[in-house]
Amino acid sequence: MTRDLGPLSAVVDLAGELIRRPSRAGLDDHEPVLAVLEDWLTVHGLPCRRLHDGARRPVALLVEIAGGRPGPWWALDACVDTAPYGDETAWSFPPAAGDVVDGRLRGRGAADSKLAAALFCHLAAELHGRAAALRGGLAVLLDADEHTGGFGGARAYLADPDAVRPAGVMIGYPGLDEVVVGGRGLWRARIAVHGTSGHSGSRRPVLGAVSRAARLVGLLDAAPLPGASGEFPLPPKLTVTYCHGGEGFSVVPDRCEIGVDVRTTPGFDARAAEHLVRATVTGLDTAMPSPRPAEVTAVASWPPYRLAEDEQPAAALLGAAAGQGLRVRAKTAGPSNIGNLLAGAGIPATAGFGLPYEGLHGVDELVHLAELPVVHAVYRRALLDLLTE
């Protein structure tokens, strides 16, 4: 047991058990970490079931607690898969340590987000014992397919015909000073750029695909974007994220592919992003003709979102933090998160508010446990306000 945290030592114990079951996205079998959670939930009498993706792989556990009175449902969401370890020799302790040293819980997933998963399980157990007095209901989604970028757990939750659709979601990312209430969206595309193939030593000049792609990258980097406008505090952003083409030195390639990531805003949405990219590609084909025009294939799109600070569940979480004497900033994030996916389904979400951390996705990941009582108190108060108002 962890000292000085009283009953919350059990939260740390469960989080440590989860950390000691490696669950790196794309690398580890997630069965051990799911089994730990299922065993704990069963022992504490909480109803849970697995959610599966289209290939019938388990991608999440879902806990559902129905209240005794009618009302909206609310959800807590924490991922139980993790980022890879990276260079394990750079760590000063084992990545799967799951131990407590000097008041810090150590290991991959301590910050993102196995401690939050353990905390949410304990909150669910408490509320399950008083369910008859609650309005609506509480769902806890323990997502085992978040760090892949596919968000399989959240997608399976939204697609499950038996799951009650929540009125809002609180996502348990770490950090004590901010609650993310919005984020830029995204529009992503692959662009196949064509050119004339040939031998690099030939007397006849040829305009290869790599040269045309390089010109396109320059045009995209220089493409004009609007600034921030209205109540959304961030501007859109366009980034060329990869360029693949050619083999060896002697062959001029006839195809090169680039990837484009556009972070969108309410004033510059996915349609505007696609129009800009396609217009830029048309400009390239006009200025530097080739046997085939470039081809743009959209591959992903999420909308931007932003909750007002008086909109639920942001109001409940921020209000509960203020009630604990904390100054917590409502933040609109540059990177996208599960909140964007939920926003696309019309479900408001917050992301963040958790323990102070170090080494997120890097070496020596850990969280500082001294603030666990106040984080627990904030989530408990927010849930009670949502489920009893």
Side-chain angles (χ1 to χ4, degrees), residues 144-218:
D145 189 40
E146 195 260 18
H147 282 84
T148 62
F151 298 156
R155 292 182 188 277
Y157 177 38
L158 295 176
D160 190 328
D162 297 322
V164 180
R165 197 172 188 83
V169 177
M170 290 182 283
I171 303 165
Y173 293 145
L176 195 66
D177 300 323
E178 299 173 338
V179 171
V180 173
V181 298
R184 286 189 291 207
L186 62 80
W187 181 83
R188 290 174 176 162
R190 295 189 300 265
I191 304 175
V193 180
H194 302 283
T196 302
S197 63
H199 195 291
S200 61
S202 173
R203 292 184 179 183
R204 182 176 64 88
V206 292
L207 183 58
V210 170
S211 295
R212 297 188 75 243
R215 177 67 68 86
L216 179 59
V217 170

Side-chain angles (χ1 to χ4, degrees), residues 39-73:
D39 289 347
W40 191 94
L41 294 166
T42 299
V43 167
H44 289 80
L46 288 167
C48 73
R49 57 192 173 89
R50 292 191 177 195
L51 302 181
H52 299 82
D53 64 10
R56 300 305 301 164
R57 296 181 307 119
V59 290
L61 289 177
L62 180 63
V63 180
E64 292 175 301
I65 301 169
R69 296 185 290 167
W73 279 60

Side-chain angles (χ1 to χ4, degrees), residues 294-321:
E295 301 156 354
V296 179
T297 303
V299 296
S301 180
W302 283 352
Y305 79 102
R306 188 171 190 272
L307 307 186
E309 293 184 27
D310 60 355
E311 185 177 355
Q312 298 293 17
L317 191 56
L318 291 167

